[in-house]
Amino acid sequence: MFTASPVKTNFYGVSLVRSPAFPVLPRRLQHRLPLSRQVRAVISREEKAVDQEDEKSTNRSVVYSSSPAFPWQRSKYTGTKTVMAVVKIRKKMREKLTERLEHQFHLLMKAVGQGMLIQLVSEEIDPETGSGRRSLETPVLGLPKARNDPRNLEFTATFTVPTDFGKPGAILVTNLLSSEICLSEIIIRDGSDTILFPGNTWIHSRNDNPEGRIIFRSQPCLPSHTPAGIKELREKDLRSVRGNGKGERKTHERIYDYDVYNDLGDPRKKDRVRPILGGPERPYPRRCRTGRPLVSRDPPCESRGKDKEEFYVPRDEEFEDIKRDTFTAGRLKALFHNLVPSIAAALSNLDIPFTCFSDIDKLYKCDIVLRPTEPKDAGLGGFFGGLVDGILNVGETLLKYDTPAVIKSDRFAWLRDNEFGRQALAGVNPVNIELLKELPIRSKLDPAVYGPQESALTEEVIAKEVLHYGMTLEQAFEEKRLFLLDYHDLLLPFVDKINSIKEDPRKTYASRTIFFYSKAGALRPLAIELSLVPTPENDNKFVYVHGHDATTHWIWKLAKAHVCSNDAGVHQLVSHWLRTHASMEPYIIATNRQLSTMHPVYKLLHPHMRYTLEINSRARKSLINGGGIIESCFTPGKYSMELSSAAYKSMWRFDMEGLPADLVRRGMAEEDASEECGVKLVIEDYPYAADGLLIWKAIKNLVESYVKHFYTDPKSIASDSELQAWWDEIKNKGHYDKKDEPWWPKLNTAQDLSEILTSMIWIASGQHAAINFGQYPFGGYVPNRPTLLRKLIPHENDPEYEMFMRNPQYSFLSSLPTQLQATKVMAVQETLSTHSADEEYLIDMKENQRRWFQDEEVVRYFSKFSEELEEVEKTINKRNRDKKLKNRTGAGMPPYELLLPTSPHGVTGRGIPNSISI
């Protein structure tokens, strides 16, 4: 094994050969020495003698005068000691031939010390320089050791430092190679002490940026507790990630900054013009700035780049290889399943509707087997085979859509009213149902534009339906049995616009649905109101109730389908994208800009930020963009993001995003100090809320213990400069359009901080899991949750009414998305519902965080947290076996597992990752 070649000197100021001090070097290039000219020093902790070779050589690359290069050489000699470093470098999981050759060359460069330089910085101040003591800038040497870790290679370096050097608090890393290096960690062994410097970061090439990277040791500390020797580096590192708000970002950079959503459309194409989100007219959370050139000045819209060109995200935010493969595999599946209907649609210039339910069933039975192929020729077949193997890296892969959980054991469950109601409590979007407190329901929209504010769901209508359950309307209100799913005010301003879309027609209403919670424990729909914008002749409010004759039965199914279609759009654009993905992005940007990696709050939040910026950038590229999947396959069409902005403006509040506060706001829970989370559910059998409160409680317990550990002084919260700058930036930059709202929480006490952090971690983990990983299990069967409908409900005088009477099944199916639209959505839903093999789960925090904390007390907090989640899983499984809980168990009914903490990889309908990673 090679060792580092540190400075050789007689310690009396004669001369200094090789590896000069970091501040003295005019150019780091002078470290590149031929092997024949290297000098090896052998210095032990006890010895003061140095064995020098070729001291008389006149052909040295670097020779200095008698003036000592290091401050500690200028003072009285106190002895030296040897410090060892183990440097772990992440391997690429999969490489092209050219990359393999480059990799072998880089290994050689590392072996001879030409790959990476590292320099220790002490926590102690050097009195000569007024900054932290520094070791020599030492090359990392030696042949790599694979150990038992298939993902990392180990290299070593040896430092010689004075005995009073102090504890290393930071390491300066310079990458001499032509390409980036992924640094996993550096372990420093100083006698009996072992100090961890966590990395998990990409180190840019010096060719891209001559500034090296600063890696701090794992021990968290508040700004006021920063050791004097590394205080300056802490501030420098923060400045380096903020950028200056100018220029286009480069792929190797890790700059975090804010911008508005001005890259969703393309003003140069008439059908791709989209408004900018972010500003007084259309408020929205800010995204990560990329600095791409503008394609128009008025409005100032960014270029979207080439089709295959990915948007910038800071380098450490990008997907790793395993995650990238999982994402790409989903796209490949979409290609195969869309191939036939795409060709047919192109030939006929029409989309193909479903004509019978067997057409839908075929989507789950069409298997395509890909066998190993080698790209032996330049033909299409060779290219395609290579493409498939390159993307999936498999020998034989069966591509098929699994039968969604909602119909797996009961193909007709989706038709029943009790399943329609159950999914409002235990489906993929259980976050919008609210307690109905009074009748009539009143709109807040302008009556001059949108007609009378009173709903057509009158007391008379509801009293008649409640009577079927042997109860008066007064009793139903008193016993809190009436509930509401209200999308009226959000959707009505967009209804005319949506219904006027020509290029890809779809039809919609603004909807309200009233439910009744029976004594048997079932939530059933009582009545549905579907509204169009009123005209002088008609208020255009239509009320539908469950009937018993054939015609009313089918009309009722169409009304429920329109409610489901609205719910699917609101789920994707508001519950999912806005309230988790988009709202979380400013928290991540502010955390990286204002909190040092040494800060305890940064370390707590770091696992909950993984991959979020990357998945959000991919969404802007192909999901929520003009002409993207959401627009083409969901009801709001090209008005999708405007609707999301309207929801942000009218309903988003940080103080209501925590689970208990949200439940109380919707009337689904009442404040009760005797309950563990301070709230008591109105419907005990509300699976999302009941299980979610267990997760919330565990997160809250962890956060409170953690915050209390680091903030022992009551005044330390208010005096933490980084923390206050972080919270101020979230409010005034990240959510700029809401900065003047009075409801923003204060940040003065440990309790304030605990509540803020608990909400953020809940949103990134439990909340996102509950509304994301059920997308395919519930939405994969198109009739259960159609993402759009292409027809309004026919009335007796309508031309289509006669066709409806002759063949109501065809009328229903032809209203659903086309086969092309359906398979597109299914592919996206399956991809978004998939856990990748490298998923990091909330329950595994004790293992993930053990490596980054050397404080045993903090490690115990995470261990206790994992133990609590193990108990939560047992509780949920027990609830799912309780026959009294009708929303969890029943014949053919899938149990509610979306908030089970554990999951294997794949589409499982369960598992809580740490972060919004898909």
Side-chain angles (χ1 to χ4, degrees):
M1 182 184 78
F2 295 89
T3 59
S5 302
V7 172
K8 298 194 294 183
T9 177
N10 58 11
F11 301 109
Y12 295 99
V14 177
S15 65
L16 183 66
V17 181
R18 197 178 182 275
S19 297
F22 185 81
V24 178
L25 270 177
R27 295 181 63 198
R28 290 184 181 140
L29 189 61
Q30 291 169 334
H31 280 280
R32 296 181 176 273
L33 298 176
L35 281 176
S36 62
R37 297 178 184 175
Q38 289 189 10
V39 182
R40 176 170 179 170
V42 183
I43 305 177
S44 70
R45 299 172 66 184
E46 295 81 14
E47 296 176 3
K48 298 182 181 179
V50 179
D51 178 26
Q52 293 187 320
E53 300 174 7
D54 294 335
E55 189 172 314
K56 297 181 181 180
S57 173
T58 59
N59 199 25
R60 299 294 185 187
S61 295
V62 183
V63 179
Y64 291 87
S65 67
S66 60
S67 176
F70 285 90
W72 55 268
Q73 289 179 301
R74 302 187 190 115
S75 59
K76 184 178 179 180
Y77 175 64
T78 58
T80 62
K81 62 179 179 179
T82 300
V83 176
M84 295 294 298
V86 177
V87 181
K88 292 186 179 183
I89 303 296
R90 181 83 49 81
K91 293 191 297 184
K92 281 192 174 182
M93 301 298 291
R94 200 165 289 109
E95 296 175 317
K96 298 177 183 177
L97 178 60
T98 54
E99 291 177 325
R100 289 176 187 171
L101 294 174
E102 183 182 29
H103 176 63
Q104 296 302 317
F105 175 74
H106 286 173
L107 286 180
L108 177 61
M109 291 297 98
K110 292 170 188 173
V112 299
Q114 302 299 309
M116 179 187 291
L117 301 174
I118 59 176
Q119 183 179 31
L120 303 182
V121 182
S122 171
E123 294 181 348
E124 305 293 333
I125 285 285
D126 189 311
E128 300 274 350
T129 64
S131 58
R133 291 182 173 182
R134 298 190 181 191
S135 73
L136 303 175
E137 193 177 35
T138 303
V140 175
L141 295 172
L143 297 174
K145 299 176 182 178
R147 302 294 185 187
N148 295 322
D149 186 353
R151 299 195 65 190
N152 294 301
L153 295 174
E154 286 188 10
F155 297 86
T156 58
T158 305
F159 297 89
T160 300
V161 297
T163 53
D164 61 350
F165 181 77
K167 179 177 288 187
I171 298 177
L172 306 180
V173 181
T174 303
N175 174 11
L176 303 176
L177 302 175
S178 59
S179 60
E180 62 189 3
I181 294 173
C182 188
L183 175 67
S184 291
E185 64 185 22
I186 300 175
I187 301 172
I188 298 296
R189 296 192 174 98
D190 181 5
S192 60
D193 291 339
T194 298
I195 307 172
L196 175 66
F197 290 77
N200 277 341
T201 185
W202 289 90
I203 309 296
H204 58 264
S205 167
R206 186 176 61 177
N207 298 341
D208 292 323
N209 182 356
E211 286 290 326
R213 285 289 306 282
I214 305 167
I215 308 297
F216 295 103
R217 73 185 183 99
S218 62
Q219 181 61 39
C221 69
L222 300 176
S224 59
H225 299 163
T226 307
I230 58 174
K231 187 175 181 63
E232 184 180 341
L233 290 179
R234 178 172 184 152
E235 295 169 355
K236 179 181 178 181
D237 189 51
L238 277 175
R239 289 194 301 270
S240 72
V241 300
R242 292 174 187 155
N244 59 9
K246 299 178 181 178
E248 183 174 0
R249 299 272 65 90
K250 306 297 189 298
T251 55
H252 68 271
E253 293 177 331
R254 57 185 195 110
I255 303 297
Y256 296 80
D257 204 353
Y258 301 94
D259 209 342
V260 295
Y261 280 72
N262 63 349
D263 61 349
L264 299 178
D266 188 343
R268 298 169 299 181
K269 301 176 182 178
K270 187 176 180 181
D271 63 336
R272 292 290 185 268
V273 176
R274 299 293 182 270
I276 293 173
L277 302 187
E281 187 177 353
R282 295 183 181 88
Y284 216 62
R286 296 308 190 254
R287 64 168 174 90
C288 186
R289 181 184 178 276
T290 66
R292 297 190 306 277
L294 299 179
V295 294
S296 70
R297 295 284 177 182
D298 187 19
C301 294
E302 267 189 3
S303 164
R304 292 186 50 76
K306 298 177 181 177
D307 287 343
K308 295 183 179 180
E309 189 175 80
E310 295 178 359
F311 290 169
Y312 163 84
V313 293
R315 184 60 182 94
D316 288 343
E317 307 294 337
E318 293 183 17
F319 287 167
E320 295 182 22
D321 292 341
I322 296 174
K323 182 71 171 183
R324 192 175 293 269
D325 284 355
T326 302
F327 201 84
T328 306
R331 291 171 59 191
L332 180 71
K333 185 174 290 191
L335 167 69
F336 275 96
H337 282 273
N338 288 338
L339 189 60
V340 174
S342 294
I343 293 174
L347 291 175
S348 64
N349 200 31
L350 294 170
D351 280 337
I352 306 170
F354 293 108
T355 57
C356 58
F357 284 98
S358 60
D359 287 344
I360 301 174
D361 294 339
K362 290 176 183 177
L363 295 173
Y364 314 109
K365 298 177 182 178
C366 182
D367 300 345
I368 302 172
V369 176
L370 303 178
R371 300 189 180 279
T373 11
E374 294 292 335
K376 298 179 181 178
D377 57 70
L380 182 61
F383 168 78
F384 192 76
L387 173 67
V388 169
D389 281 346
I391 293 175
L392 293 182
N393 193 37
V394 293
E396 181 174 300
T397 302
L398 183 66
L399 290 178
K400 65 172 291 184
Y401 285 114
D402 291 328
T403 303
V406 72
I407 61 163
K408 199 164 192 176
S409 300
D410 184 353
R411 289 182 58 197
F412 305 106
W414 66 277
L415 286 166
R416 293 192 287 271
D417 282 357
N418 61 338
E419 178 62 17
F420 178 84
R422 187 185 80 90
Q423 289 185 30
L425 298 172
V428 71
N429 191 32
V431 298
N432 290 302
I433 189 168
E434 58 187 291
L435 180 70
L436 180 62
K437 298 178 180 178
E438 63 179 4
L439 287 172
I441 304 165
R442 294 181 183 274
S443 169
K444 295 179 182 179
L445 298 176
D446 184 357
V449 179
Y450 300 105
Q453 293 180 317
E454 291 78 14
S455 167
L457 295 171
T458 62
E459 290 187 10
E460 182 182 0
V461 171
I462 304 306
K464 183 179 179 182
E465 296 303 314
V466 167
L467 195 58
H468 294 316
Y469 295 91
M471 187 174 290
T472 66
L473 185 60
E474 291 74 17
Q475 287 176 312
F477 272 118
E478 184 179 344
E479 296 181 18
K480 298 183 178 179
R481 295 190 176 276
L482 295 175
F483 296 87
L484 175 67
L485 192 62
D486 190 351
Y487 297 138
H488 179 276
D489 284 10
L490 177 62
L491 294 177
L492 192 58
F494 294 93
V495 165
D496 274 356
K497 296 178 182 179
I498 294 169
N499 290 343
S500 299
I501 294 174
K502 302 294 185 185
E503 59 273 14
D504 194 5
R506 70 279 314 275
K507 301 297 179 183
T508 192
Y509 303 89
S511 62
R512 288 189 180 106
T513 308
I514 293 181
F515 298 86
F516 179 81
Y517 189 64
S518 70
K519 292 181 179 180
L523 187 71
R524 299 174 65 89
L526 285 183
I528 295 171
E529 178 189 44
L530 300 179
S531 301
L532 300 172
V533 177
T535 65
E537 297 79 24
N538 197 326
D539 62 5
N540 280 334
K541 296 180 180 180
F542 309 100
V543 173
Y544 301 93
V545 295
H546 182 81
H548 301 285
D549 61 276
T551 302
T552 309
H553 182 77
W554 274 104
I555 291 289
W556 177 243
K557 280 181 172 43
L558 287 169
K560 289 195 298 181
H562 274 282
V563 173
C564 289
S565 173
N566 286 345
D567 190 67
V570 172
H571 163 259
Q572 201 64 262
L573 294 164
V574 181
S575 307
H576 184 201
W577 171 257
L578 170 64
R579 293 180 63 187
T580 61
H581 286 259
S583 295
M584 194 71 192
E585 187 154 346
Y587 311 153
I588 295 170
I589 298 171
T591 299
N592 283 279
R593 284 169 54 88
Q594 298 298 340
L595 299 181
S596 166
T597 56
M598 302 175 68
H599 199 289
V601 172
Y602 177 93
K603 289 183 177 292
L604 178 66
L605 289 179
H606 185 260
H608 307 292
M609 304 187 293
R610 185 176 187 240
Y611 291 157
T612 303
L613 294 190
E614 169 79 350
I615 195 64
N616 284 5
S617 77
R618 287 175 177 255
R620 298 202 319 274
K621 183 70 177 179
S622 59
L623 198 65
I624 63 172
N625 60 299
I629 297 293
I630 298 296
E631 286 195 359
S632 63
C633 300
F634 283 77
T635 294
K638 63 183 181 181
Y639 304 103
S640 292
M641 292 305 290
E642 289 184 63
L643 187 147
S644 187
S645 171
Y648 179 70
K649 182 177 184 178
S650 64
M651 60 183 287
W652 188 88
R653 294 177 48 156
F654 181 88
D655 63 328
M656 294 296 169
E657 291 302 292
L659 179 58
D662 176 57
L663 292 171
V664 172
R665 174 181 65 169
R666 292 188 282 121
M668 300 303 293
E670 299 171 336
E671 294 183 350
D672 186 340
S674 66
E675 296 290 327
E676 285 186 323
C677 293
V679 296
K680 180 178 178 60
L681 293 177
V682 172
I683 297 179
E684 182 182 351
D685 186 16
Y686 183 1
Y688 157 76
D691 295 355
L693 287 172
L694 296 177
I695 304 298
W696 174 272
K697 176 176 174 288
I699 295 172
K700 186 171 183 284
N701 290 343
L702 168 66
V703 171
E704 287 181 343
S705 298
Y706 187 92
V707 168
K708 184 178 179 181
H709 180 80
F710 288 102
Y711 291 95
T712 54
D713 184 347
K715 298 180 181 179
S716 57
I717 297 286
S719 63
D720 186 335
S721 57
E722 287 183 7
L723 187 70
Q724 293 299 327
W726 167 77
W727 185 234
D728 182 73
E729 185 164 291
I730 285 173
K731 295 183 294 182
N732 294 310
K733 287 189 176 181
H735 286 273
Y736 178 83
D737 301 322
K738 296 273 189 176
K739 64 184 177 65
D740 296 323
E741 296 289 352
W743 41 252
W744 283 103
K746 305 295 183 184
L747 182 51
N748 297 320
T749 67
Q751 184 62 31
D752 295 340
L753 179 59
S754 296
E755 291 176 1
I756 290 168
L757 294 176
T758 301
S759 291
M760 288 181 178
I761 295 172
W762 160 253
I763 290 166
S765 56
Q767 177 77 343
H768 181 258
I771 60 180
N772 180 74
F773 293 104
Q775 289 192 75
Y776 186 78
F778 286 98
Y781 187 67
V782 181
N784 183 58
R785 282 182 69 80
T787 55
L788 63 80
L789 289 176
R790 298 185 297 137
K791 297 178 182 179
L792 297 175
I793 297 176
H795 296 275
E796 289 191 24
N797 297 325
D798 294 339
E800 291 191 356
Y801 190 77
E802 185 178 344
M803 173 62 75
F804 163 74
M805 293 297 290
R806 285 203 309 267
N807 193 342
Q809 176 176 294
Y810 177 79
S811 291
F812 178 85
L813 290 171
S814 61
S815 296
L816 298 178
T818 65
Q819 293 190 35
L820 178 58
Q821 290 169 328
T823 51
K824 277 184 182 180
V825 171
M826 288 167 63
V828 171
Q829 288 175 332
E830 188 183 47
T831 301
L832 298 182
S833 301
T834 300
H835 292 292
S836 63
D838 70 338
E839 195 81 89
E840 294 182 359
Y841 294 95
L842 200 62
I843 197 171
D844 296 326
M845 288 275 281
K846 66 177 181 182
E847 300 301 328
N848 296 332
Q849 294 288 41
R850 187 182 297 276
R851 295 293 298 158
W852 313 127
F853 288 94
Q854 293 183 301
D855 186 328
E856 286 302 318
E857 184 67 21
V858 174
V859 171
R860 279 196 291 272
Y861 297 153
F862 288 107
S863 296
K864 183 180 179 182
F865 176 67
S866 294
E867 291 168 4
E868 281 190 57
L869 291 185
E870 289 172 3
E871 292 302 314
V872 167
E873 181 142 334
K874 293 177 183 177
T875 300
I876 294 175
N877 284 327
K878 183 179 179 181
R879 288 173 174 175
N880 286 337
R881 293 191 297 269
D882 188 343
K883 294 180 180 179
K884 297 177 183 177
L885 302 177
K886 303 300 183 183
N887 292 315
R888 293 179 178 272
T889 182
M893 180 189 297
Y896 186 77
E897 297 182 329
L898 288 171
L899 286 170
L900 279 175
T902 64
S903 175
H905 65 270
V907 180
T908 63
R910 58 180 289 171
I912 305 176
N914 283 328
S915 63
I916 302 169
S917 59
I918 191 65

